[in-house]
């Protein structure tokens, strides 16, 4: 089919792609946005459990501390488009935002659809041409410069610059199937292996599965490798039918060693008490309920399901009355309550992870512009890049910021 002329083509209508298209078009450049789905922002709709945790109202330094994977690469993008810039963009576009616990930012309506709707309105006002149900087969290049894209239906779109914002491989139902990696690899980019982060974890032991549905608050999850502490944090976690999940687990997954067997994970169920304070409290409970069986006293110390299971985890007979519990057994109960081992087996499938780790190597992308170091005129934005962060709005903002910088940089080429 005949080629059509375009200044900038953006591949992918997710967070990074929409922002790239918007910022490029605001520079007065002709922009065409291609989206493989029938609507834009499919993954945006499910962020924050449908409420859309847009960003985090933090400083640049704080943001970088929440980014365990290639944080220095993001310095220019975050300086160009900060969380506060995103909040203003939505507010000015008619979508008020609110800051909630952990400085997480949401649309005031707590509807993700309002975020996407606002961005679509802003893109329309800026003159972005959007084509949905448009699947890209490959990016064309000649003599080290992009020349356009080839669609699956055989249509060729010529372009001076191309911005690749196809996302990762998590939640493939939203269109993030990893096809952008193949496009980048065909242009000699290094594609690092992909794994899921912000992911639930399957455990070796079956006991977490027995606690399915139980959520714990104000507990501390710690992961070490040998003598080195890889992660320790106070917060919430959840037991599932296959292991553990919840905020603490998701964040811990960002810090896992490549070999999960090297990770020693412990759960402190009473982090607010010292060992001595907890032992004293347990002695008081045992003394006041001396004739009761241990399994019937534990609910005064731990939530229901866990209280029932806990003596077995400590190797103590729950049928014993409290006055039969030896000092050694009590000390074992105390020690396990503050350092309960959890053996990890494997991450949940990548497709179920919130974010993909891996992808296009940051060593081959200019951080000041998001342009490829291999192919001029090719830019990258969002999850296709090997950068990821903790939960709390950081990953979505990485897409906004890299998209904004890529769009701006690609449009500036017209002026040089």
């Amino acid at each position: 089919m005949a080629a059509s002329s375009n200044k900038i083509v953006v591949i992918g209508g997710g967070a990074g792609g929409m922002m790239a298209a918007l910022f490029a078009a605001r520079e007065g450049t002709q922009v065409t946005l291609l989206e493989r789905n029938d609507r834009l922002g499919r993954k945006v709709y499910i962020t924050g459990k449908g409420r859309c945790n847009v960003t985090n109202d933090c400083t640049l330094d704080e943001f970088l501390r929440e980014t365990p994977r290639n944080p220095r690469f993001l310095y220019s993008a975050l300086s160009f488009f900060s969380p506060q810039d995103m909040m203003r963009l939505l507010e000015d576009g008619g979508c008020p935002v609110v800051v909630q616990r952990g400085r997480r930012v949401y649309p005031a309506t707590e509807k993700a659809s309002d975020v996407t709707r606002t961005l679509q309105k802003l893109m329309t006002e800026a003159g972005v041409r959007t084509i949905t149900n448009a699947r890209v087969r490959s990016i064309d290049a000649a003599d080290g410069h992009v020349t356009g894209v080839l669609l699956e239906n055989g249509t060729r779109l010529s372009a001076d610059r191309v911005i690749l914002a196809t996302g990762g491989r998590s939640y493939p139902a939203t269109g993030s199937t990893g096809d952008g990696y193949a496009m980048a690899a065909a242009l000699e980019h290094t594609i690092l292996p992909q794994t899921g982060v912000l992911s639930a974890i399957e455990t070796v032991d079956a006991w977490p599965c027995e606690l399915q549905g139980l959520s714990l608050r104000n507990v501390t999850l710690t992961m070490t490798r040998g003598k080195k502490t890889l992660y320790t944090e106070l917060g919430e976690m959840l037991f599932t039918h296959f292991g553990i999940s919840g905020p603490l687990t998701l964040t811990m997954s960002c810090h896992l060693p490549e070999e999960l067997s090297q990770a020693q994970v412990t759960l402190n169920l009473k982090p607010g008490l010292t060992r001595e304070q907890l032992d004293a409290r347990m002695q008081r409970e045992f003394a006041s309920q001396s004739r009761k069986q241990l399994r019937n006293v534990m609910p005064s110390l731990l939530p229901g399901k866990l209280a029932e299971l806990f003596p077995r985890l400590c190797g103590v007979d729950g049928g014993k009355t409290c006055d039969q519990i030896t000092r050694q057994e009590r000390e074992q109960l105390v020690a396990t309550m503050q350092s309960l081992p959890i053996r990890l087996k494997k991450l949940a499938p990548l497709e179920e992870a919130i974010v993909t780790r891996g992808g296009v190597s940051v060593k081959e992308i200019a951080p000041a512009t998001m342009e490829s170091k291999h192919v001029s005129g090719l830019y990258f934005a969002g999850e296709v890049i090997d950068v990821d962060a903790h939960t709390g709005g950081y990953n979505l903002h990485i897409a906004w910021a890299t998209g904004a910088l890529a769009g701006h940089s690609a449009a500036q080429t017209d002026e040089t």
Side-chain angles (χ1 to χ4, degrees):
M1 298 178 68
S4 59
S5 178
N6 299 271
K7 288 290 186 179
I8 296 176
V9 168
V10 181
I11 308 174
M18 287 190 289
M19 197 61 72
L22 174 61
F23 270 70
R26 281 185 166 183
E27 298 288 340
T29 306
Q30 180 187 348
V31 180
T32 299
L33 174 60
L34 305 176
E35 167 54 41
R36 62 179 290 161
N37 292 312
D38 58 1
R39 60 177 176 168
L40 303 179
R42 284 284 292 273
K43 194 169 183 181
V44 174
Y45 278 100
I46 64 173
T47 60
K49 298 180 180 178
R51 297 165 58 213
C52 193
N53 184 184
V54 176
T55 186
N56 191 286
D57 187 18
C58 63
T59 66
L60 173 59
D61 288 342
E62 289 169 334
F63 198 115
L64 295 176
R65 284 198 292 272
E66 296 291 340
T67 309
R69 188 76 161 185
N70 299 319
R72 292 177 59 188
F73 173 79
L74 291 172
Y75 189 89
S76 294
L78 294 173
S79 298
F80 177 76
F81 190 70
S82 69
Q84 294 72 34
D85 291 331
M86 182 61 188
M87 294 163 68
R88 281 191 290 271
L89 183 144
L90 289 176
E91 294 267 4
D92 292 345
C95 179
V97 298
V98 293
V99 181
Q100 299 185 359
R101 185 166 59 92
R103 293 184 294 189
R104 289 170 165 83
V105 180
Y106 297 89
T109 59
E110 297 195 350
K111 293 181 180 179
S113 56
D114 287 340
V115 174
T116 303
R117 190 177 298 113
T118 299
L119 292 176
Q120 286 181 291
K121 181 189 76 170
L122 294 175
M123 285 191 295
T124 299
E125 292 172 352
V128 175
R129 174 193 180 203
T130 299
I131 304 176
T132 56
N133 296 307
R135 297 198 174 196
V136 177
R137 180 183 301 170
S138 61
I139 299 170
D140 295 334
D143 300 322
H145 193 286
V146 296
T147 58
V149 300
L150 174 64
L151 303 187
E152 292 282 1
N153 65 6
T155 300
R156 229 175 253 281
L157 302 178
S158 64
D160 297 325
R161 274 92 59 205
V162 172
I163 301 174
L164 186 61
T166 49
R169 288 175 52 204
S170 58
Y171 293 110
T174 64
S176 298
T177 59
D179 50 350
Y181 300 136
M183 296 180 207
L187 297 175
E188 300 184 356
H189 273 275
T190 300
I191 309 301
L192 300 173
Q194 296 93 56
T195 58
V197 290
L198 296 185
S199 173
I201 305 175
E202 186 177 338
T203 57
V204 172
D205 302 304
W207 66 262
C209 311
E210 297 180 44
L211 300 175
Q212 177 183 351
L214 176 65
S215 179
L216 300 178
R217 294 186 175 184
N218 298 318
V219 295
T220 297
L221 197 61
T222 299
M223 177 172 62
T224 59
R225 181 176 56 195
K227 295 182 179 180
K228 183 179 181 181
T229 299
L230 303 178
Y231 171 80
T232 185
E233 193 70 51
L234 173 73
E236 302 177 23
M237 68 172 294
L238 173 71
F239 293 101
T240 71
H241 65 285
F242 56 81
I244 56 175
S245 187
L248 286 178
T249 303
L250 298 181
T251 301
M252 184 178 74
S253 72
C254 296
H255 301 271
L256 289 170
E258 288 189 17
E259 293 292 331
L260 263 63
S261 59
Q262 296 177 355
Q264 291 83 47
V265 176
T266 56
L267 175 63
N268 187 340
L269 296 163
K270 297 292 181 182
L273 300 175
T274 65
R275 184 69 59 92
E276 293 73 22
Q277 289 171 331
L278 181 55
D279 186 48
R281 180 180 172 185
M282 194 172 289
Q283 287 189 60
R284 290 195 299 271
E285 293 289 347
F286 287 2
S288 64
Q289 305 180 70
S290 60
R291 300 305 298 165
K292 287 187 177 181
Q293 292 181 325
L294 176 63
R295 64 167 62 97
N296 296 324
V297 175
M298 290 309 298
S300 62
L301 295 165
L302 295 171
K305 282 185 179 181
L306 182 56
E308 182 181 345
L309 181 65
F310 193 73
R312 171 158 59 90
L313 298 179
C314 302
V316 178
D317 182 1
K320 278 187 171 184
T321 57
C322 289
D323 58 5
Q324 293 176 321
I325 301 297
T326 66
R327 177 179 178 179
Q328 183 178 6
E329 288 174 328
R330 190 187 74 244
E331 290 176 346
Q332 180 62 34
L333 290 166
V334 170
T336 305
M337 200 170 289
Q338 293 199 313
S339 188
L340 175 60
I342 302 177
R343 295 188 295 166
L344 308 184
K345 184 176 182 181
K346 62 181 180 180
L347 288 167
L350 189 158
E351 294 78 15
E352 298 175 11
I354 295 175
V355 173
T356 304
R357 169 169 290 178
V360 180
S361 172
V362 299
K363 295 178 181 179
E364 300 171 1
I365 303 172
T369 60
M370 296 294 131
E371 186 175 15
S372 165
K373 293 180 180 179
H374 293 334
V375 183
S376 65
L378 175 62
Y379 297 79
F380 296 93
E383 200 176 342
V384 73
I385 305 170
D386 181 29
V387 182
D388 60 77
H390 294 156
T391 185
Y394 303 103
N395 287 287
L396 191 51
H397 190 80
I398 287 173
W400 304 133
T402 55
L405 181 55
H408 171 77
S409 301
Q412 293 303 305
T413 306
D414 275 344
E415 302 174 6
T416 59

